[in-house]
Amino acid sequence: PAPRRPPFSPLGRALATAAAHAEHRGATRSTMAVFALATVAAVSQRDILSNLTASYDASMRPGQALEGSCAAEAAPDRVNVETDVSVIHTINQVSKSYRLDGYLIASWSDPRLVFDASCQRLHFGAMKDLGIWAPQLNFPHARSLTVGGGSGKMAADGESVYIHPDGKVDWIRAMHVEMYCGGFSFGKLPYDIQYCDFSIASLGSSPQDLELYWLVSNEILQMKVDADPFTSGEWAAHPVSRQSNQSIPILGIPPALRNPFGATSAVTMCFSLTRSSYTSSTLTILVAVLLVLASWSGFFISPAAAPARIALAFLCFLMVLNNLNAVYRS
């Protein structure tokens, strides 16, 4: 039989108990140290921002602060913007509008926010609580706009602000926007292609204050769309062209609220909506064939029966007119 393990002596049991207690105390101290470091990191992030904004004037853009005054000759600030579109939906041909869901991204540099590089970056949840300068971005063609932060559903979507050691600021917000598209034309239905304009501007700033540029190049955007096309029902969206730092006039705003230059910098994009509907194509072709047959059937009616031939011609015209009205109603 296997030899039995001799029992611990009183001294051995005392040593084992002491070792167990020491190990427990060490684990407890390690856990407390981890929580302490996490607390210090959370506090120090806010402390870093407090030190940066101690003499910070949020009413002055970075270029003006760099010049040391609010002089008009201060260099304009460059703001890179991008829309990370998740889905295009609710394309309404009657109201000539469409809806976008995704994220609005803005990035710029502020030398006043440069800090020690030992901390990789600062992350905060809302811009309004930071007390730093941020561009006021608008969508000139928007019928309705909801941007992250705020309350309700958008509070869940939220927003994120990242401040990097070199003073770069990244502002990411969820967005839900309904845009107007005045380019709808149904002359080539059901093989029509609609073209819509999309722009982002800062209506409170002139081109001498801000310059807006797209963050992602057109080539990268095209590669992204090719890999994951935007589709909504019978429509497929494709980017056509994008322009940065375009000076556009400010319309629809009272003169007293406009900036002195009457224009603002904007980024613009033109994209196409291509219809691809088997049902629409089939119905259109079928109706066209029936109309042609009905029109030609009038030649087989006796010329003496003038009322019948006239009625048939009017019926074909009324059918075409009714179909056209149905297209505009839908």
Side-chain angles (χ1 to χ4, degrees):
R4 297 180 61 185
R5 185 176 181 181
F8 283 124
S9 64
L11 179 60
R13 286 196 298 270
L15 292 175
T17 303
H21 284 296
E23 182 178 358
H24 177 71
R25 287 195 300 270
T28 303
R29 290 173 180 172
S30 299
T31 304
M32 293 177 63
V34 171
F35 281 113
L37 288 175
T39 304
V40 170
V43 173
S44 63
Q45 178 172 265
R46 179 62 65 174
D47 290 342
I48 293 175
L49 180 64
S50 298
N51 294 332
L52 293 175
T53 56
S55 58
Y56 191 99
D57 186 358
S59 64
M60 297 180 64
R61 55 185 179 84
Q64 291 177 332
L66 193 62
E67 295 291 337
S69 66
C70 58
E73 61 270 12
D77 290 292
R78 172 169 176 160
V79 178
N80 298 320
V81 298
E82 193 58 60
T83 54
D84 187 2
V85 178
S86 301
V87 61
I88 300 177
H89 62 95
T90 317
I91 299 175
N92 193 322
Q93 303 173 65
V94 177
S95 62
K96 298 182 178 180
S97 65
Y98 59 93
R99 292 180 179 270
L100 294 176
D101 290 342
Y103 293 90
L104 175 61
I105 304 171
S107 178
W108 67 93
S109 293
D110 193 337
R112 296 170 290 180
L113 299 177
V114 176
F115 61 93
D116 185 7
S118 60
C119 183
Q120 293 184 353
R121 63 180 181 180
L122 307 180
H123 178 209
F124 301 96
M127 176 65 74
K128 64 179 182 179
D129 301 328
L130 303 184
I132 64 175
W133 178 88
Q136 301 300 317
L137 301 178
N138 311 94
F139 293 77
H141 299 113
R143 287 184 169 176
S144 64
L145 173 65
T146 309
V147 183
S151 59
K153 180 181 182 299
M154 297 308 297
D157 292 339
E159 62 181 286
S160 293
V161 181
Y162 298 94
I163 303 178
H164 300 266
D166 59 355
K168 178 185 176 185
V169 182
D170 294 328
W171 189 14
I172 306 173
R173 294 177 289 172
M175 69 171 186
H176 306 281
V177 57
E178 179 183 1
M179 299 291 292
Y180 171 74
C181 177
F184 273 92
S185 176
F186 305 103
K188 296 183 179 180
L189 187 77
Y191 305 106
D192 53 328
I193 300 178
Q194 313 296 344
Y195 292 93
C196 299
D197 293 326
F198 179 87
S199 59
I200 302 175
S202 181
L203 300 182
S205 303
S206 68
Q208 285 71 20
D209 296 328
L210 288 184
E211 295 179 347
L212 298 185
Y213 289 84
W214 287 112
L215 182 62
V216 177
S217 64
N218 295 341
E219 293 76 12
I220 296 178
L221 177 64
Q222 187 63 52
M223 292 173 59
K224 178 183 177 182
V225 174
D226 293 341
D228 186 16
F230 293 114
T231 58
S232 176
E234 62 181 3
W235 298 96
H238 303 277
V240 177
S241 63
R242 301 208 307 175
Q243 302 293 330
S244 295
N245 195 26
Q246 298 294 300
S247 180
I248 62 173
I250 301 177
L251 303 176
I253 297 180
L257 300 180
R258 300 180 187 177
N259 64 65
F261 298 93
T264 185
S265 176
V267 291
T268 61
M269 177 175 64
C270 175
F271 66 94
S272 63
L273 293 172
T274 305
R275 190 194 302 268
S276 177
S277 174
Y278 175 78
T279 302
S280 298
S281 302
T282 303
L283 290 177
T284 302
I285 294 175
L286 179 61
V287 171
V289 171
L290 292 178
L291 287 175
V292 172
L293 292 177
S295 300
W296 277 90
S297 64
F299 291 103
F300 297 94
I301 298 176
S302 172
R309 300 184 65 175
I310 295 175
L312 186 59
F314 270 103
L315 284 176
C316 293
F317 172 76
L318 291 176
M319 291 171 64
V320 172
L321 184 62
N322 182 65
N323 288 335
L324 181 61
N325 291 331
V327 168
Y328 282 104
R329 285 196 303 270
S330 61

